[in-house]
Amino acid sequence: SCFYKSGSCPGCQSEAHLTGVGKKSEDQNAGVLFIALSWAVSALCVMCAIACGVLAAWNELTFPTTVWGHSCYGWFSTCDLKVCTEVLEDQLANGFPSFYSSCVPASTVNSIIGDACIYDMEVYEQTGGVLGFDFCQVSPRESNIEEINDMYIFRDDFDHWEAGGNFSSSAVNLASARWDSMKNAEVSSMCGVFTGEKYERYASDSYGSTPSENGALVFSGVLQRHAETIRLDVTHGGFLKFYLKMAPISEAGDEEECKTAYGGDVSVAYKTDSLSNWTDFGTYEVWKYRNEFFTEIIEEIPPGAFGNSTQFRWQQTAFEPSRDYWALDDVSITRSFEKAMRSTKEFVEKKENVMLAADITRCCFDSELCEHNPDLFLNNSTNLCESLPGYKNRNKKFMIGPRAYVVLALFLFLLRYLLLHTVSAFLGEGFVGQKVKPTKQVETTAVFRVWEFAPSYDASWQIFSLTALMLPLSLCAFWLAMVFQRNESIYYWLTRRATDMDSGTPHLSQSSPNILLVAVAILLDLCDMYELAKSVFCLCPRW
């Protein structure tokens, strides 16, 4: 604020006239507050720029990794989808299926359940959540995401049994509950049910009924108490996961519906084609699992059980027929994928086919992420488009992603224009700006003296600055040219006719908004380049 103390310009010692706040205020140091605020704003802008750079770097370094190599949609994307996808029998030996289809209780036998992220929002919405996502393998920003190394080949939650709860091949309305036989077991809620947090099991879970809202498999009765699965393929091993509960001690005694378990340990065993007897690999003592709640148990399948025809059995051998009830809930068996599966030649080839299919799907739905001209790229893939879910009833939503960014930029441009030509006019009333390097003084009665001037050029800094600016712009232009040449975006946006090819009737096609938005984007860029040339580099004499 020494400018106001001296009464003259520090550089040329010319008389300085007070303006704005300095003129209207009696305080000759009135500019301190505004200078301090300007520095504070500058510092805030620098800190915001640094923070944005740090966030961008963190976003890039912690980006989730998916099975097929898709990039999750948006900034700071997370693997927040709980997905169940079906694995057909002919895909068992190949690991992950190349095409995801939602699980359906009545028909899904094998499945993969895990965390996923959306890689194409338009495709995901247009297909009702069937396509446009991929399973996450690693997500550094989420500690609970684990690599998927197995699939479910057996699952029973005991919530899809017919009323009555007794086992038969027709009583279980769940294709993945592949039981072979049971003795003295029924689905009931007499011993309670497991109510912990579970995955969303199926996309359309409307099939089947239960004796109550939820059920568990309760064992009682005389002679035998066991449940056996059919022969399953666990060639590369896997895991058994289930929830076990021994009936707790109750003050009601014999009147309690779920009779107390005083004895009768439960065991889990396996049997293969090469073995005539069952082999135990897990035993669960009554005293440890006699609780009011279900206890989670996870058992790794032992190497001796590896094979393509292995049965599993849960059994209680020594028990008192009138008591010693126990219950199972949420039983599942997983089969591990082949080790180093993702480094095999077959998996790499499969990944290339999956990415190609994803490109075709994007272009079928005219997604913003389609990197090709659909009219040319889909020339031989029209049948595939027809078979995609939601294709016939698709509804183009062009205000997503880059399209929305262009509209937002246009809004900000108009807002800035109004601010400069309306609000500033009121704030700066009575204020006339003074231009630099005067050459001739013109008499005026305005608050400021107005100067006529001719700008002086300093080619050294202008050429250096232009070179520093044009170098990244040239690299960007070169990169865009290569992109356009590769994916034909220019052809797609600018030459696709807005005409119904069958009827010849003109109408506003999906490409028309694209053309308009491209024109708006180019106009906004030209406006900024104009201001840069005029206000910073003084390229033309009249400026």
Side-chain angles (χ1 to χ4, degrees), residues 88-161:
L88 301 178
E89 290 293 334
D90 59 354
Q91 297 174 325
L92 287 177
N94 298 323
F96 272 90
S98 57
F99 186 86
Y100 296 151
S101 57
S102 299
C103 299
V104 179
S107 60
T108 299
V109 176
N110 307 296
S111 61
I112 295 177
I113 300 176
D115 301 279
C117 71
I118 299 172
Y119 66 80
D120 193 313
M121 184 63 70
E122 287 185 86
V123 171
Y124 183 80
E125 291 184 353
Q126 297 281 17
T127 60
V130 178
L131 302 175
F133 68 89
D134 195 7
F135 284 100
C136 294
Q137 289 293 88
V138 179
S139 181
R141 66 187 61 165
E142 299 168 273
S143 60
N144 61 330
I145 303 299
E146 298 180 356
E147 186 174 3
I148 300 175
N149 292 312
D150 48 22
M151 72 177 75
Y152 288 89
I153 57 175
F154 181 99
R155 303 191 75 241
D156 195 353
D157 57 7
F158 305 105
D159 297 336
H160 293 78
W161 284 48

XYZ file of all heavy atoms in Angstrom, residues 88-161:
590
model
N -21.494 -71.892 -16.974
C -22.066 -73.078 -17.595
C -21.113 -74.260 -17.463
O -19.914 -74.094 -17.249
C -22.384 -72.801 -19.062
C -23.366 -71.646 -19.324
C -23.559 -71.450 -20.816
C -24.700 -71.891 -18.633
N -21.664 -75.467 -17.615
C -20.873 -76.676 -17.430
C -19.682 -76.740 -18.382
O -18.598 -77.182 -18.019
C -21.760 -77.917 -17.620
C -22.787 -78.125 -16.512
C -22.137 -78.474 -15.180
O -21.013 -79.022 -15.203
O -22.731 -78.195 -14.130
N -19.887 -76.274 -19.632
C -18.782 -76.344 -20.597
C -17.720 -75.283 -20.354
O -16.703 -75.241 -21.039
C -19.319 -76.232 -22.022
C -20.079 -74.934 -22.243
O -20.286 -74.189 -21.269
O -20.486 -74.669 -23.391
N -17.943 -74.392 -19.361
C -16.964 -73.355 -19.040
C -16.170 -73.676 -17.781
O -15.281 -72.926 -17.401
C -17.671 -72.011 -18.842
C -18.379 -71.494 -20.084
C -19.194 -70.236 -19.789
O -19.761 -70.084 -18.707
N -19.246 -69.345 -20.765
N -16.473 -74.795 -17.134
C -15.837 -75.105 -15.858
C -14.325 -75.197 -15.974
O -13.586 -74.755 -15.091
C -16.401 -76.416 -15.298
C -17.827 -76.352 -14.743
C -18.267 -77.728 -14.290
C -17.918 -75.365 -13.592
N -13.855 -75.788 -17.054
C -12.411 -75.987 -17.212
C -11.689 -74.724 -17.649
O -10.458 -74.695 -17.656
C -12.152 -77.104 -18.222
N -12.440 -73.671 -18.009
C -11.813 -72.464 -18.554
C -11.779 -71.305 -17.567
O -11.422 -70.193 -17.936
C -12.559 -72.021 -19.819
C -12.500 -73.064 -20.910
O -11.487 -73.735 -21.077
N -13.590 -73.214 -21.642
N -12.178 -71.545 -16.323
C -12.144 -70.468 -15.348
C -13.273 -69.488 -15.545
O -14.438 -69.875 -15.677
N -12.941 -68.204 -15.601
C -13.945 -67.158 -15.709
C -14.699 -67.265 -17.029
O -14.099 -67.484 -18.077
C -13.300 -65.775 -15.624
C -13.155 -65.273 -14.224
C -12.014 -65.552 -13.495
C -14.153 -64.534 -13.630
C -11.863 -65.104 -12.202
C -14.017 -64.072 -12.336
C -12.869 -64.361 -11.619
N -16.029 -67.106 -16.994
C -16.786 -67.097 -18.257
C -16.491 -65.826 -19.041
O -16.231 -64.767 -18.462
C -18.246 -67.137 -17.784
C -18.221 -66.534 -16.424
C -16.901 -66.925 -15.823
N -16.537 -65.927 -20.345
C -16.265 -64.761 -21.187
C -17.473 -63.842 -21.290
O -17.341 -62.683 -21.679
C -15.846 -65.221 -22.586
O -16.843 -66.052 -23.153
N -18.644 -64.360 -20.949
C -19.869 -63.554 -21.029
C -20.627 -63.732 -19.723
O -20.961 -64.853 -19.340
C -20.719 -64.015 -22.218
C -21.931 -63.156 -22.463
C -21.835 -62.014 -23.232
C -23.155 -63.494 -21.919
C -22.952 -61.223 -23.465
C -24.268 -62.705 -22.145
C -24.172 -61.568 -22.917
N -20.862 -62.635 -19.019
C -21.535 -62.708 -17.731
C -23.051 -62.759 -17.923
O -23.621 -61.968 -18.679
C -21.186 -61.496 -16.869
C -19.722 -61.403 -16.496
C -19.119 -60.167 -16.274
C -18.944 -62.537 -16.364
C -17.785 -60.070 -15.931
C -17.612 -62.454 -16.022
C -17.030 -61.226 -15.807
O -15.704 -61.147 -15.469
N -23.698 -63.670 -17.230
C -25.166 -63.750 -17.225
C -25.635 -63.923 -15.787
O -25.038 -64.687 -15.013
C -25.647 -64.924 -18.088
O -25.091 -66.146 -17.640
N -26.678 -63.229 -15.419
C -27.138 -63.198 -14.038
C -27.601 -64.569 -13.568
O -28.162 -65.355 -14.333
C -28.283 -62.185 -13.889
O -27.854 -60.893 -14.227
N -27.357 -64.829 -12.299
C -27.797 -66.092 -11.706
C -29.317 -66.113 -11.565
O -29.938 -65.098 -11.240
C -27.163 -66.265 -10.325
S -25.363 -66.327 -10.337
N -29.893 -67.271 -11.788
C -31.323 -67.502 -11.602
C -31.473 -68.743 -10.735
O -30.940 -69.804 -11.080
C -32.048 -67.693 -12.950
C -33.520 -67.963 -12.729
C -31.863 -66.464 -13.836
N -32.149 -68.682 -9.611
C -32.186 -69.803 -8.676
C -32.609 -71.124 -9.298
O -32.061 -72.168 -8.964
C -33.197 -69.338 -7.626
C -33.144 -67.858 -7.688
C -32.876 -67.509 -9.105
N -33.566 -71.092 -10.212
C -34.113 -72.330 -10.742
C -33.170 -73.039 -11.707
O -33.325 -74.237 -11.946
C -35.444 -72.051 -11.444
N -32.182 -72.335 -12.257
C -31.352 -72.940 -13.297
C -29.856 -72.808 -13.072
O -29.080 -73.562 -13.667
C -31.696 -72.322 -14.659
O -31.472 -70.922 -14.646
N -29.405 -71.911 -12.230
C -27.975 -71.693 -12.037
C -27.393 -72.766 -11.130
O -27.785 -72.882 -9.962
C -27.702 -70.305 -11.433
O -28.175 -69.307 -12.328
C -26.211 -70.114 -11.198
N -26.433 -73.514 -11.670
C -25.771 -74.570 -10.903
C -24.431 -74.075 -10.377
O -24.152 -74.121 -9.184
C -25.580 -75.835 -11.761
C -24.806 -76.892 -10.991
C -26.932 -76.378 -12.209
N -23.585 -73.618 -11.279
C -22.260 -73.100 -10.916
C -22.273 -71.581 -11.047
O -22.884 -71.033 -11.968
C -21.187 -73.694 -11.828
C -21.243 -75.211 -11.864
O -21.033 -75.878 -10.858
N -21.546 -75.757 -13.038
N -21.577 -70.910 -10.161
C -21.628 -69.446 -10.174
C -20.346 -68.853 -9.602
O -19.592 -69.522 -8.884
C -22.828 -68.942 -9.373
O -22.731 -69.355 -8.012
N -20.131 -67.595 -9.965
C -19.054 -66.791 -9.379
C -19.713 -65.613 -8.686
O -20.524 -64.900 -9.285
C -18.065 -66.304 -10.450
C -17.331 -67.493 -11.069
C -17.058 -65.332 -9.846
C -16.391 -67.102 -12.195
N -19.382 -65.405 -7.434
C -19.961 -64.316 -6.645
C -18.819 -63.464 -6.119
O -17.846 -63.988 -5.557
C -20.799 -64.852 -5.480
C -21.946 -65.715 -6.010
C -21.350 -63.708 -4.639
C -22.773 -66.356 -4.925
N -18.911 -62.176 -6.330
C -17.832 -61.314 -5.872
C -18.146 -59.847 -6.064
O -19.263 -59.466 -6.438
N -17.156 -59.024 -5.811
C -17.283 -57.571 -5.940
C -16.897 -57.149 -7.347
O -15.926 -57.650 -7.914
C -16.384 -56.874 -4.929
C -16.723 -57.273 -3.505
O -17.671 -56.712 -2.950
O -16.036 -58.162 -2.960
N -17.659 -56.226 -7.899
C -17.425 -55.779 -9.275
C -17.564 -54.271 -9.356
O -18.052 -53.612 -8.436
C -18.403 -56.460 -10.229
N -17.115 -53.728 -10.488
C -17.280 -52.298 -10.754
C -17.819 -52.119 -12.165
O -17.681 -52.993 -13.020
C -15.953 -51.536 -10.590
S -14.741 -51.877 -11.898
N -18.441 -50.993 -12.403
C -18.999 -50.669 -13.717
C -17.893 -50.052 -14.570
O -17.216 -49.124 -14.134
C -20.176 -49.689 -13.582
C -21.292 -50.324 -12.746
C -20.701 -49.270 -14.948
C -22.410 -49.359 -12.408
N -17.733 -50.561 -15.789
C -16.747 -49.959 -16.696
C -17.411 -49.181 -17.827
O -16.745 -48.426 -18.526
C -15.799 -51.016 -17.262
C -16.425 -52.052 -18.177
C -16.702 -51.772 -19.509
C -16.731 -53.319 -17.705
C -17.271 -52.716 -20.345
C -17.296 -54.275 -18.537
C -17.563 -53.960 -19.851
O -18.132 -54.904 -20.677
N -18.705 -49.364 -18.045
C -19.447 -48.578 -19.031
C -20.845 -48.327 -18.474
O -21.698 -49.222 -18.459
C -19.529 -49.306 -20.371
C -20.010 -48.393 -21.496
O -21.010 -47.685 -21.282
O -19.395 -48.382 -22.572
N -21.075 -47.092 -18.008
C -22.333 -46.770 -17.347
C -23.517 -46.872 -18.295
O -24.605 -47.335 -17.910
C -22.258 -45.354 -16.758
C -23.502 -44.963 -15.972
S -23.767 -46.007 -14.525
C -22.426 -45.469 -13.471
N -23.336 -46.455 -19.548
C -24.448 -46.508 -20.501
C -24.871 -47.944 -20.782
O -26.058 -48.280 -20.764
C -24.056 -45.798 -21.794
C -24.006 -44.287 -21.677
C -23.728 -43.623 -23.014
O -24.680 -43.385 -23.757
O -22.558 -43.358 -23.297
N -23.905 -48.812 -21.049
C -24.220 -50.219 -21.316
C -24.854 -50.858 -20.091
O -25.826 -51.626 -20.200
C -22.946 -50.982 -21.731
C -23.212 -52.486 -21.796
C -22.448 -50.477 -23.075
N -24.335 -50.534 -18.907
C -24.880 -51.104 -17.674
C -26.345 -50.712 -17.484
O -27.177 -51.549 -17.111
C -24.043 -50.638 -16.485
C -24.457 -51.228 -15.158
C -24.070 -52.517 -14.799
C -25.238 -50.504 -14.264
C -24.443 -53.063 -13.585
C -25.623 -51.041 -13.048
C -25.223 -52.318 -12.708
O -25.609 -52.856 -11.502
N -26.664 -49.444 -17.720
C -28.034 -48.983 -17.541
C -28.953 -49.511 -18.633
O -30.096 -49.901 -18.376
C -28.075 -47.456 -17.504
C -27.425 -46.860 -16.262
C -27.563 -45.356 -16.215
O -28.055 -44.784 -17.220
O -27.190 -44.753 -15.203
N -28.467 -49.527 -19.880
C -29.298 -49.969 -21.000
C -29.639 -51.458 -20.898
O -30.689 -51.889 -21.357
C -28.584 -49.701 -22.336
C -28.314 -48.233 -22.631
C -29.545 -47.500 -23.153
O -30.659 -47.963 -23.025
N -29.331 -46.349 -23.760
N -28.760 -52.252 -20.325
C -28.998 -53.694 -20.214
C -29.584 -54.082 -18.863
O -29.682 -55.279 -18.554
C -27.694 -54.476 -20.437
O -26.727 -54.078 -19.446
C -27.127 -54.200 -21.824
N -29.943 -53.107 -18.058
C -30.521 -53.419 -16.761
C -29.545 -54.060 -15.794
O -29.926 -54.864 -14.941
N -28.260 -53.721 -15.920
C -27.246 -54.254 -15.017
C -26.712 -55.615 -15.400
O -25.959 -56.222 -14.632
N -27.060 -56.110 -16.601
C -26.583 -57.429 -17.035
C -25.173 -57.334 -17.605
O -24.343 -58.226 -17.388
C -27.548 -58.038 -18.070
C -27.044 -59.386 -18.566
C -28.946 -58.189 -17.468
N -24.878 -56.267 -18.341
C -23.566 -56.078 -18.958
C -22.968 -54.753 -18.485
O -23.622 -53.975 -17.797
C -23.695 -56.081 -20.487
C -24.317 -57.329 -21.127
C -24.489 -57.123 -22.622
C -23.481 -58.559 -20.844
N -21.723 -54.498 -18.902
C -21.077 -53.229 -18.564
C -20.337 -53.236 -17.244
O -19.935 -52.180 -16.756
N -20.127 -54.409 -16.633
C -19.383 -54.492 -15.382
C -18.356 -55.616 -15.480
O -18.423 -56.476 -16.356
C -20.316 -54.746 -14.199
C -20.964 -56.107 -14.213
C -20.350 -57.194 -13.611
C -22.186 -56.306 -14.835
C -20.936 -58.450 -13.637
C -22.772 -57.556 -14.860
C -22.145 -58.633 -14.265
N -17.418 -55.605 -14.548
C -16.405 -56.654 -14.507
C -16.011 -56.892 -13.057
O -16.055 -55.977 -12.220
C -15.173 -56.253 -15.323
C -14.254 -57.431 -15.620
O -14.652 -58.575 -15.298
O -13.162 -57.215 -16.163
N -15.631 -58.117 -12.748
C -15.215 -58.461 -11.391
C -13.876 -57.822 -11.066
O -12.970 -57.778 -11.893
C -15.103 -59.981 -11.240
C -16.425 -60.679 -11.130
C -16.989 -61.306 -12.231
C -17.111 -60.707 -9.926
C -18.203 -61.955 -12.138
C -18.332 -61.351 -9.827
C -18.886 -61.976 -10.927
N -13.753 -57.327 -9.839
C -12.509 -56.731 -9.381
C -11.583 -57.817 -8.840
O -12.028 -58.736 -8.155
C -12.776 -55.695 -8.289
S -13.693 -54.244 -8.859
N -10.316 -57.680 -9.155
C -9.316 -58.589 -8.632
C -8.539 -57.953 -7.488
O -8.307 -58.578 -6.464
C -8.351 -59.003 -9.744
C -8.967 -59.926 -10.774
C -9.321 -61.283 -10.195
O -10.410 -61.486 -9.666
N -8.410 -62.216 -10.273
N -8.138 -56.703 -7.691
C -7.389 -55.963 -6.670
C -7.888 -54.526 -6.672
O -8.110 -53.939 -7.726
C -5.867 -55.987 -6.939
C -5.124 -55.195 -5.872
C -5.346 -57.421 -6.979
N -8.077 -53.967 -5.472
C -8.454 -52.568 -5.346
C -7.716 -51.977 -4.148
O -8.149 -52.145 -3.003
C -9.971 -52.425 -5.153
O -10.338 -51.055 -5.049
N -6.570 -51.317 -4.391
C -5.768 -50.791 -3.274
C -6.522 -49.847 -2.354
O -6.163 -49.718 -1.177
C -4.618 -50.055 -3.996
C -4.528 -50.719 -5.335
C -5.945 -51.078 -5.695
N -7.564 -49.200 -2.873
C -8.299 -48.248 -2.043
C -9.371 -48.936 -1.190
O -10.045 -48.269 -0.396
C -8.940 -47.177 -2.923
C -10.020 -47.682 -3.839
C -10.508 -46.619 -4.800
N -9.449 -46.148 -5.673
C -9.658 -45.454 -6.779
N -10.885 -45.165 -7.155
N -8.655 -45.050 -7.526
N -9.545 -50.262 -1.358
C -10.542 -51.004 -0.591
C -9.884 -52.254 -0.012
O -9.453 -53.139 -0.748
C -11.727 -51.401 -1.473
C -12.457 -50.207 -2.067
C -13.433 -50.615 -3.146
O -12.993 -50.714 -4.309
O -14.608 -50.851 -2.830
N -9.835 -52.329 1.296
C -9.130 -53.428 1.953
C -9.889 -54.742 1.908
O -9.301 -55.811 2.112
C -8.846 -53.043 3.414
O -10.068 -52.791 4.103
N -11.196 -54.696 1.651
C -11.998 -55.920 1.696
C -12.114 -56.616 0.342
O -12.820 -57.623 0.226
C -13.410 -55.596 2.206
C -14.141 -54.616 1.299
O -13.518 -53.780 0.661
N -15.452 -54.710 1.246
N -11.444 -56.117 -0.694
C -11.520 -56.735 -2.017
C -10.426 -57.802 -2.124
O -9.244 -57.508 -1.952
C -11.361 -55.690 -3.134
C -12.421 -54.597 -2.984
C -11.464 -56.354 -4.492
C -13.847 -55.104 -3.076
N -10.845 -59.013 -2.411
C -9.901 -60.112 -2.542
C -9.969 -60.691 -3.946
O -11.015 -60.679 -4.594
C -10.209 -61.207 -1.509
C -10.076 -60.746 -0.062
C -10.392 -61.860 0.913
O -10.782 -62.953 0.446
O -10.243 -61.645 2.133
N -8.850 -61.217 -4.396
C -8.784 -61.808 -5.717
C -9.675 -63.045 -5.784
O -9.667 -63.879 -4.866
C -7.342 -62.176 -6.057
C -7.147 -62.676 -7.478
C -5.687 -62.892 -7.817
O -4.847 -62.701 -6.913
O -5.394 -63.243 -8.967
N -10.444 -63.151 -6.860
C -11.348 -64.284 -7.027
C -10.578 -65.445 -7.641
O -10.102 -65.362 -8.770
C -12.545 -63.897 -7.917
C -13.310 -62.740 -7.274
C -13.463 -65.091 -8.127
C -14.441 -62.216 -8.127
N -10.472 -66.530 -6.876
C -9.704 -67.687 -7.327
C -10.534 -68.964 -7.365
O -9.972 -70.056 -7.528
C -8.486 -67.903 -6.430
C -7.458 -66.796 -6.580
O -7.107 -66.425 -7.695
N -6.998 -66.258 -5.476
N -11.844 -68.846 -7.179
C -12.674 -70.044 -7.199
C -14.100 -69.696 -7.597
O -14.476 -68.517 -7.683
C -12.650 -70.743 -5.837
C -12.894 -69.774 -4.686
O -13.468 -68.701 -4.923
O -12.494 -70.079 -3.552
N -14.879 -70.745 -7.847
C -16.284 -70.578 -8.190
C -17.127 -71.499 -7.312
O -16.628 -72.499 -6.781
C -16.522 -70.906 -9.667
C -16.419 -72.390 -9.992
S -16.793 -72.762 -11.705
C -15.297 -72.169 -12.496
N -18.392 -71.142 -7.153
C -19.301 -71.970 -6.373
C -19.841 -73.095 -7.250
O -20.386 -72.846 -8.324
C -20.460 -71.129 -5.846
C -20.062 -70.178 -4.739
C -19.615 -68.889 -5.028
C -20.127 -70.560 -3.410
C -19.253 -68.013 -4.026
C -19.764 -69.690 -2.388
C -19.329 -68.427 -2.703
O -18.954 -67.564 -1.704
N -19.687 -74.328 -6.760
C -20.239 -75.476 -7.476
C -21.355 -76.137 -6.672
O -22.013 -77.060 -7.152
C -19.149 -76.518 -7.796
C -18.446 -76.979 -6.516
C -18.140 -75.937 -8.785
C -17.437 -78.089 -6.737
N -21.573 -75.647 -5.449
C -22.663 -76.136 -4.608
C -23.064 -75.010 -3.669
O -22.202 -74.408 -3.020
C -22.227 -77.361 -3.803
C -23.303 -77.940 -2.917
C -24.026 -79.046 -3.319
C -23.596 -77.373 -1.683
C -25.024 -79.579 -2.516
C -24.591 -77.885 -0.871
C -25.301 -78.996 -1.293
N -24.363 -74.747 -3.588
C -24.855 -73.728 -2.658
C -26.272 -74.066 -2.242
O -27.104 -74.430 -3.065
C -24.849 -72.322 -3.289
C -23.487 -71.879 -3.787
C -23.482 -70.408 -4.144
N -23.455 -69.581 -2.962
C -24.386 -68.702 -2.625
N -25.445 -68.546 -3.383
N -24.285 -67.983 -1.530
N -26.533 -73.954 -0.961
C -27.900 -74.120 -0.453
C -28.062 -73.232 0.771
O -27.332 -73.371 1.758
C -28.182 -75.581 -0.094
C -29.682 -75.836 0.074
O -30.448 -74.852 0.050
O -30.076 -77.012 0.226
N -29.001 -72.293 0.677
C -29.289 -71.416 1.808
C -30.514 -71.889 2.593
O -30.905 -71.268 3.576
C -29.498 -69.980 1.339
C -30.609 -69.858 0.311
O -31.305 -70.864 0.052
O -30.780 -68.759 -0.243
N -31.161 -72.982 2.109
C -32.334 -73.576 2.749
C -33.500 -72.598 2.846
O -34.350 -72.716 3.727
C -31.961 -74.129 4.139
C -30.817 -75.100 4.100
C -29.553 -74.713 4.543
C -30.986 -76.362 3.574
C -28.486 -75.589 4.484
C -29.913 -77.248 3.508
C -28.668 -76.867 3.961
N -33.512 -71.641 1.939
C -34.622 -70.694 1.840
C -35.440 -70.926 0.573
O -36.326 -70.132 0.269
C -34.102 -69.247 1.836
C -33.393 -68.889 3.135
O -33.683 -69.530 4.159
O -32.543 -67.977 3.114
N -35.130 -71.992 -0.168
C -35.811 -72.255 -1.432
C -36.373 -73.680 -1.475
O -36.395 -74.319 -2.506
C -34.859 -72.047 -2.619
C -34.442 -70.629 -2.822
N -33.481 -70.020 -2.060
C -34.870 -69.687 -3.691
C -33.321 -68.767 -2.451
N -34.143 -68.541 -3.445
N -36.839 -74.152 -0.325
C -37.424 -75.487 -0.242
C -38.949 -75.374 -0.218
O -39.514 -74.391 0.272
C -36.961 -76.200 1.026
C -35.538 -76.712 0.953
C -34.441 -76.019 0.540
C -35.093 -78.008 1.322
N -33.325 -76.796 0.621
C -33.683 -78.042 1.106
C -35.706 -79.147 1.818
C -32.909 -79.155 1.358
C -34.933 -80.269 2.082
C -33.544 -80.277 1.850
